[in-house]
Every structure is written in structure tokens, then in C-alpha cells.
């Protein structure tokens, strides 16, 4: 099993949520760590991946919204400072496409999720180090993790959709 490190300056853990039923708000988590062990970069079945994300590092490029997200109305970061993901199985779906099954924990609530993941390629960075790219996507229902804050709109509908799209873009290198 080979271990890999994330190149944080070329990786993103992001999310988006529909706002007022008409547009999407995008955000990222700026602080996280991961443990990645794979049998081979192009044969990831049998590997393991785990993430720990610092909730207080959420950024939507709006200070007031970010403060609200870490408050008890949403993530309650003082009580639940980490979001965790641990893979339970990795299955090949097709050429360079995988399903990463795992357990996602938010606010001490753990639910199984599946990331559809694509191996996007490899190259050599300016420091002569081999790097590999992956993009993983999933959608969660925030209510399943007790993220239930919302407001009804005068025009009908809600302020924030229940569905959250999660996209993880990773550039990794062997360690």
C-alpha cells in the first residue's frame, strides 16, 4: 500500500447549495487533513481514504454568513469541530471512474455516502515530483445531519435547499 499526501495549494473541498430557489452559493473548507493509502494510483480498489475537516474553516466569501454557518444554527463548531469521512470500500465503475463508499460524520451523526470519483490524470510538478488528480462528487441531504435551519420565502419555497452538492478536487503525490 502506497501513501499519498494532498497538495493543499492545488486541492479544494467545496460545496454548493441552492439559495432562494434561484441561485447557488458556493463554499469551501480551508483547513483539513487526510490519510490516503492506495495499492496503486490507477488501481485504487482496496485502498483507504479518510478526511478530517475543520468546521470553523468554512468560507463562502461572506463573513456574516460564515459566522452563521459555524453557529449553533448550523454546524455548531464549538461543540462539533470536525467533519469526518472514512472510506469503507472503493469499487471500479469504469475506465478511471470509481465509487468511494464511506461514512460521513457531521455533528456526531454518521451516514453512509458514495463519492463518484474520476481519476483526472497525472503529471510532474516544477519540483520534479509526480502528482495525480482526482475529482469526487456526491450530494447529501443536510437534514440527515441535523442541519435544519431554514426560512420560508414570501414568494413560496425556502431560503436554503436541503440538497448540498459536495465536490472534492485533489492533487496528491506519493510520500
Amino acid at each position: 500500500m502506497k501513501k499519498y499526501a494532498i497538495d493543499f495549494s492545488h486541492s479544494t473541498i467545496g460545496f454548493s447549495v441552492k439559495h432562494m430557489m434561484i441561485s447557488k452559493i458556493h463554499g469551501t473548507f480551508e483547513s483539513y487533513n487526510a490519510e490516503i493509502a492506495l495499492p496503486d494510483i490507477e488501481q485504487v480498489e482496496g485502498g483507504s481514504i479518510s478526511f478530517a475537516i475543520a468546521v470553523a474553516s468554512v468560507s463562502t466569501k461572506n463573513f456574516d454568513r460564515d459566522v452563521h454557518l459555524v453557529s449553533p444554527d448550523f454546524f455548531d463548531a464549538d461543540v462539533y469541530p470536525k467533519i469526518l469521512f472514512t472510506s469503507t470500500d472503493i469499487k471500479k465503475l469504469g475506465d478511471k471512474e470509481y465509487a468511494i463508499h464511506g461514512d460521513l460524520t457531521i455533528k456526531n451523526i454518521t451516514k453512509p455516502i458514495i463519492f463518484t470519483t474520476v481519476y483526472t490524470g497525472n503529471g510532474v510538478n516544477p519540483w520534479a515530483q509526480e502528482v495525480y488528480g482526482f475529482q469526487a462528487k456526491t450530494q447529501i441531504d443536510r437534514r440527515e445531519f441535523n442541519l435544519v435551519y431554514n426560512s420560508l420565502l414570501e414568494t413560496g419555497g425556502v431560503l436554503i435547499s436541503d440538497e448540498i452538492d459536495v465536490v472534492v478536487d485533489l492533487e496528491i503525490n506519493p510520500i
Side-chain angles (χ1 to χ4, degrees), residues 62-80:
N62 179 298
F63 178 78
D64 292 336
R65 181 171 45 227
D66 296 345
V67 168
H68 193 203
L69 284 171
V70 299
S71 78
D73 280 348
F74 283 100
F75 287 113
D76 201 357
D78 288 339
V79 177
Y80 309 103

Side-chain angles (χ1 to χ4, degrees), residues 10-163:
H10 298 105
S11 299
T12 304
I13 295 178
F15 61 91
S16 62
V17 60
K18 201 163 215 181
H19 179 254
M20 294 183 60
M21 312 294 288
I22 59 171
S23 65
K24 281 196 171 184
I25 300 299
H26 296 268
T28 58
F29 289 96
E30 302 299 320
S31 179
Y32 54 92
N33 60 47
E35 292 184 16
I36 302 170
L38 306 171
D40 186 83
I41 202 67
E42 292 193 34
Q43 173 56 43
V44 301
E45 291 177 301
S48 65
I49 301 166
S50 63
F51 279 86
I53 301 167
V55 171
S57 74
V58 68
S59 173
T60 63
K61 298 182 180 172
N62 179 298
F63 178 78
D64 292 336
R65 181 171 45 227
D66 296 345
V67 168
H68 193 203
L69 284 171
V70 299
S71 78
D73 280 348
F74 283 100
F75 287 113
D76 201 357
D78 288 339
V79 177
Y80 309 103
K82 301 278 185 197
I83 295 172
L84 305 172
F85 173 79
T86 302
S87 66
T88 56
D89 192 23
I90 302 174
K91 296 198 180 296
K92 187 173 182 110
L93 298 176
D95 186 38
K96 299 182 180 184
E97 189 173 8
Y98 301 89
I100 300 176
H101 298 254
D103 292 324
L104 178 65
T105 302
I106 301 173
K107 295 177 78 170
N108 280 357
I109 299 169
T110 302
K111 299 285 181 182
I113 65 167
I114 301 170
F115 278 99
T116 301
T117 305
V118 176
Y119 171 57
T120 56
N122 66 299
V124 177
N125 69 18
W127 301 272
Q129 187 172 40
E130 189 85 19
V131 295
Y132 307 93
F134 291 89
Q135 184 179 72
K137 295 179 180 181
T138 195
Q139 187 177 78
I140 63 170
D141 183 331
R142 65 188 181 91
R143 296 170 299 178
E144 292 182 351
F145 297 95
N146 199 26
L147 299 169
V148 295
Y149 174 88
N150 219 340
S151 295
L152 295 175
L153 300 174
E154 290 179 20
T155 57
V158 291
L159 183 65
I160 307 163
S161 69
D162 294 327
E163 296 77 25

